Amino acid sequence: DGGITQSPKYLFRKEGQNVTLSCEQNLNHDAMYWYRQDPGQGLRLIYYSQIVNDFQKGDIAEGYSVSREKKESFPLTVTSAQKNPTAFYLCASSRFHSNQPQHFGDGTRLSIL
Amino acid sequence: EDKVVQSPLSLVVHEGDTVTLNCSYEVTNFRSLLWYKQEKKAPTFLFMLTSSGIEKKSGRLSSILDKKELFSILNITATQTGDSAIYLCAVEANNAGNMLTFGGGTRLMVKP
């Protein structure tokens, strides 16, 4: 089945530790996105990528980093510089410049130990 | 800066009621408005609206866009407990990244 797979579903981070969230898609989509969702709030864009080896900062990129070495994969690293990382992280993908909506993975819930 | 505001923040109704969720927006170079339903995990796509005045319908759900007044509504008739979810509105601008700006969502609870 085509879709977006995020892993792990739950992740715990110790103070000062970097953690990486995985996002893989087999939809042959060009564009991929990372969002953060806090309780009772909408989604805020962290980073996005339109093409392999290129990515752009979103509204809240500080404390995060990404890479796009393959079309299918767009991992997000939450660095120790992100002082409030506890949130629900959603990955999405879409065809670039089309009338197709973004499709989402099931998310990763990150908590601080 | 693009902005999307949803109202109400939350809503509690009983099965069989009809609800209307609101979404107003300010966006430079509007392309489309999207509605998503989010239960526990991934938001699932409901509607994409690009033209004013044309209602989109799927079963008991319908939505319409007013590009002059810059808002959209999502209607749910004969609500069921399975409609309980967060409903997210997002706007897409004609920008380089096809990025979406999301509203804060409306949390709907349907009681039996």
Side-chain angles (χ1 to χ4, degrees):
Chain A
D1 284 355
I4 302 172
T5 302
Q6 288 188 241
S7 63
K9 287 186 173 19
Y10 300 94
L11 187 58
F12 297 92
R13 194 191 90 168
K14 294 180 182 178
E15 294 285 346
Q17 187 181 42
N18 292 355
V19 291
T20 297
L21 284 59
S22 170
C23 179
E24 304 276 332
Q25 54 98 1
N26 60 4
L27 300 167
N28 199 31
H29 284 169
D30 306 295
M32 297 186 74
Y33 310 82
W34 274 106
Y35 293 92
R36 170 181 170 139
Q37 187 176 31
D38 292 284
Q41 296 190 31
L43 281 60
R44 292 183 291 167
L45 183 66
I46 305 173
Y47 269 98
Y48 67 99
S49 168
Q50 303 166 32
I51 196 169
V52 174
N53 292 323
D54 186 49
F55 47 83
Q56 308 295 328
K57 292 182 179 180
D59 299 320
I60 54 165
E62 187 174 346
Y64 300 97
S65 65
V66 292
S67 62
R68 187 88 185 276
E69 295 177 5
K70 298 186 299 182
K71 187 175 183 178
E72 302 80 21
S73 178
F74 191 39
L76 173 75
T77 296
V78 184
T79 75
S80 57
Q82 173 49 245
K83 297 306 178 190
N84 185 22
T86 298
F88 188 50
Y89 291 87
L90 285 160
C91 178
S93 70
S94 70
R95 290 194 184 279
F96 190 53
H97 277 319
S98 72
N99 282 330
Q100 299 298 314
Q102 289 183 19
H103 294 270
F104 286 84
D106 280 345
T108 293
R109 194 166 297 279
L110 175 63
S111 301
I112 291 290
L113 283 178
Chain B
E1 184 181 328
D2 298 342
K3 188 176 174 183
V4 179
V5 178
Q6 292 186 244
S7 64
L9 289 178
S10 65
L11 194 53
V12 180
V13 300
H14 288 94
E15 273 192 316
D17 289 348
T18 293
V19 297
T20 298
L21 309 183
N22 303 295
C23 176
S24 63
Y25 64 90
E26 296 173 23
V27 62
T28 303
N29 211 6
F30 175 88
R31 179 185 174 97
S32 65
L33 184 145
L34 295 89
W35 284 97
Y36 287 87
K37 177 184 181 181
Q38 184 181 25
E39 296 178 80
K40 293 183 179 176
K41 299 177 181 176
T44 54
F45 171 72
L46 294 175
F47 299 111
M48 176 184 276
L49 303 157
T50 56
S51 301
S52 266
I54 299 174
E55 184 183 52
K56 292 219 173 176
K57 200 168 169 63
S58 175
R60 296 175 295 102
L61 277 67
S62 64
S63 183
I64 197 160
L65 174 68
D66 186 327
K67 289 169 74 173
K68 183 179 176 187
E69 300 297 331
L70 307 183
F71 78 90
S72 173
I73 59 171
L74 176 68
N75 277 321
I76 309 175
T77 59
T79 52
Q80 303 171 357
T81 55
D83 295 326
S84 296
I86 297 173
Y87 290 85
L88 297 165
C89 173
V91 292
E92 181 185 20
N94 271 318
N95 54 45
N98 287 51
M99 292 178 291
L100 296 178
T101 300
F102 281 84
T106 293
R107 183 179 293 271
L108 174 65
M109 180 182 293
V110 181
K111 293 188 171 181

